[in-house]
Amino acid sequence: LYLIEGAFSDIVRYASAAVDPRADWIIKIAHLLCEPLGSGRVFTHTTGTPEDWYTSDRTPSWREVVPGDLLLPGIYQFETTHPIGLSKISERQSHSVTASESVSNSSTFRTQLNERDGGCVLTRQLFPLAASHLIPMRIGSDGARETVERFAGVAEATGINQFDPRVGIMLFKGVDHWIDVYDAAFYHIANDTYTLHNFNPNFPGASVFGTGTNTLGSNMPPLHGFQVALSVRAGVHPLPPPGVFNWHYLQCVIKRFGTLQYRNIPDIIFFVYPFRTASESDGLNDEDSDDLDRNPPYPSYRVDRYLHQVSESHQ
């Protein structure tokens, strides 16, 4: 089962560290797709081309890929001894709005983020700002809790709901849109340090302010590769755990590189209400869903392997 695939030249844009691209990115994405907190392993072939192996099973000639290995064009396979529950896909199909009963919660959410972050976490601008949901409201509180548990652990998921400060950050409105539609994401480096990655192929030179083209030089640093160390500026609310950023980052990867085979798995897409719930209020989004009993966030599928194609010619 191929889950993501892309041209090698596109993949290295996200996998590069210093001079030579390393396989750490492939290993991390494989886990986020199949077993975020598990101990599965990644393998790749040592002979032949990706085309030679595309429809063939792994043999003893394949080697395990470990952090620090050089990233090369090829097929990468994830393997674990446990049944794999594939990560569900969140699609942004339309701009929904805030239901009247959610306005109070949204206002509190914004106040808490503003106090904790003290402005945009990237640009330090004080306006115009958006209380950005890394885990969208349309997934609902149950979905947010299950998502955090899967990607950050049971302890981090305790008490989580769709308006919890641990699922959001304060951003300048221009870049908030990129985060909202899965065109940009925070790649976790260490502790609370992240590097921004731009997944929009149409605007590779976008600025950290969310403008499509970086035209103002040093006054507008590029979005891609921008590094930020997050911190609690004031208040008692903690930052989102790295697992929350990892979930959002994965959605950007899937949007850019996800295969049709992955997207067509039954019930792999989060449920989204097909109708508007209320008039727009203060620019807040409402993507609430209470359909999780019938359509839980993470169905469990038995998958023998994860395959990742990064060839020069296949895209």
Side-chain angles (χ1 to χ4, degrees):
L1 175 65
Y2 288 89
L3 299 180
I4 63 172
E5 58 186 359
F8 184 75
S9 58
D10 291 333
I11 295 294
V12 295
R13 176 172 166 84
Y14 307 100
S16 292
V19 179
D20 298 320
R22 301 294 169 177
D24 301 48
W25 189 88
I26 295 294
I27 297 171
K28 178 173 182 174
I29 298 306
H31 277 89
L32 294 181
L33 285 163
C34 302
E35 199 177 48
L37 301 180
S39 56
R41 299 186 296 168
V42 176
F43 295 84
T44 191
H45 49 94
T46 58
T47 63
T49 67
E51 288 72 20
D52 295 332
W53 290 100
Y54 201 81
T55 58
S56 301
D57 291 333
R58 179 167 66 91
T59 70
S61 68
W62 286 45
R63 66 173 178 86
E64 183 177 357
V65 182
V66 298
D69 281 357
L70 190 66
L71 179 66
L72 300 170
I75 293 174
Y76 291 80
Q77 174 180 307
F78 181 84
E79 189 165 288
T80 178
T81 57
H82 305 101
I84 293 176
L86 292 178
S87 294
K88 209 160 190 183
I89 301 172
S90 173
E91 291 189 338
R92 193 69 161 93
Q93 298 172 332
S94 62
H95 187 79
S96 54
V97 296
T98 301
S100 57
E101 61 272 16
S102 299
V103 171
S104 177
N105 288 332
S106 294
S107 178
T108 300
F109 177 74
R110 182 185 182 90
T111 298
Q112 292 170 337
L113 292 191
N114 206 24
E115 180 182 37
R116 184 196 67 198
D117 298 338
C120 173
V121 299
L122 301 181
T123 66
R124 305 314 313 164
Q125 296 294 306
L126 299 179
F127 61 91
L129 300 178
S132 187
H133 285 257
L134 295 168
I135 297 178
M137 285 187 290
R138 64 177 174 272
I139 292 176
S141 290
D142 288 341
R145 188 161 45 251
E146 293 188 39
T147 296
V148 175
E149 182 175 332
R150 175 175 170 84
F151 283 81
V154 174
E156 292 286 3
T158 302
I160 284 284
N161 61 68
Q162 67 198 100
F163 294 104
D164 194 296
R166 289 173 290 174
V167 302
I169 51 173
M170 191 62 72
L171 291 172
F172 184 74
K173 277 195 172 182
V175 75
D176 166 67
H177 172 74
W178 288 64
I179 298 294
D180 186 47
V181 299
Y182 304 129
D183 276 347
F186 291 71
Y187 185 75
H188 184 232
I189 303 299
N191 299 320
D192 290 317
T193 300
Y194 297 84
T195 295
L196 270 292
H197 283 174
N198 174 3
F199 286 88
N200 189 325
N202 298 317
F203 300 102
S207 80
V208 74
F209 285 87
T211 55
T213 304
N214 190 353
T215 58
L216 300 182
S218 60
N219 294 327
M220 301 275 281
L223 178 65
H224 192 76
F226 185 85
Q227 191 169 109
V228 58
L230 303 181
S231 63
V232 175
R233 300 286 173 144
V236 298
H237 300 289
L239 294 165
V244 169
F245 287 100
N246 286 342
W247 178 87
H248 179 270
Y249 188 89
L250 178 64
Q251 298 306 316
C252 295
V253 171
I254 295 171
K255 178 181 178 180
R256 178 74 186 272
F257 299 114
T259 65
L260 288 178
Q261 189 178 14
Y262 184 15
R263 297 174 186 278
N264 289 334
I265 293 175
D267 298 322
I268 199 67
I269 308 293
F270 280 102
F271 177 83
V272 178
Y273 275 121
F275 52 84
R276 294 169 69 87
T277 57
S279 298
E280 185 163 329
S281 174
D282 194 31
L284 300 172
N285 299 333
D286 190 0
E287 303 162 322
D288 208 355
S289 170
D290 62 1
D291 190 57
L292 291 157
D293 289 337
R294 298 191 301 275
N295 187 20
Y298 295 104
S300 182
Y301 299 102
R302 279 207 70 92
V303 180
D304 292 331
R305 61 181 183 263
Y306 156 82
L307 296 173
H308 177 86
Q309 170 79 16
V310 284
S311 71
E312 286 286 335
S313 58
H314 190 83
Q315 187 169 6

